Every structure is written in structure tokens, then in C-alpha cells.
Amino acid sequence: MKKYLLPALQAGVTIYILARLFGDAELRANATRVVAEADWLWMAGAVAAAAASELLCATRWWVVLRAFGTPLKWREAVAFSAIGLFYSLGLPGSA
């Protein structure tokens, strides 16, 4: 029973957060307004900075894996890093 308690709690918290985010019409309207009013130059800069950060992270893993003798193409390291990023950010209750 104990081993199911933490995953059940994580699933409950995830469902609550998703219901709160997508179930509140006022919150959705405010989010839409904020994004529409944002400065697109700063938004583009933020996207570029995030992409550069992820590419540097993938490059770091590529170098570490090569140092330990694991042959891996740089593109594969970027793909694995992107998959890890998705599971880390896209599934909030799974970690």
C-alpha cells in the first residue's frame, strides 16, 4: 500500500493543477491578455536563450559520454536531451 501512496499523491496534485489551469475561464482570459501584451522582441530573446541553454546542456552530455567511451552523434545527444526535457517538464507528476 505504501508504494502506491506517493504516485497517487503525485497524480492527484497533477490533476488538480491541470484542472485549475484549464478549468478557470478568467485565468485563461488573463493569460491570453498577458501574452498578447508582451513585447515580442523580449519573447524571441527568451526563446533564443532557452534554446541555447538546452543546446549547451546537450553538448555537455555529449562531451561527458564521449569521455566515458560512449560513441554518440551530437544530434542524438540533442534528441536525448530534448526527450529528457519533455519528461521533466511535460509530466509534472512523474518525477
Side-chain angles (χ1 to χ4, degrees), residues 50-90:
S53 172
E54 292 308 317
L55 289 174
L56 288 172
C57 180
T59 303
R60 178 187 65 195
W61 278 112
W62 177 67
V63 169
V64 168
L65 288 172
R66 286 178 59 100
F68 283 107
T70 305
L72 190 69
K73 294 178 183 173
W74 183 76
R75 288 185 65 192
E76 292 172 340
V78 171
F80 289 141
S81 182
I83 291 168
L85 179 66
F86 168 76
Y87 281 115
S88 177
L89 297 176

Side-chain angles (χ1 to χ4, degrees), residues 10 14 87-88 90-95:
Q10 290 174 332
T14 300
Y87 281 115
S88 177
L91 302 173
S94 67

Side-chain angles (χ1 to χ4, degrees), residues 31-49:
T32 303
R33 181 185 53 81
V34 166
V35 170
E37 292 176 0
D39 184 2
W40 290 103
L41 185 61
W42 280 99
M43 294 288 283
V47 168

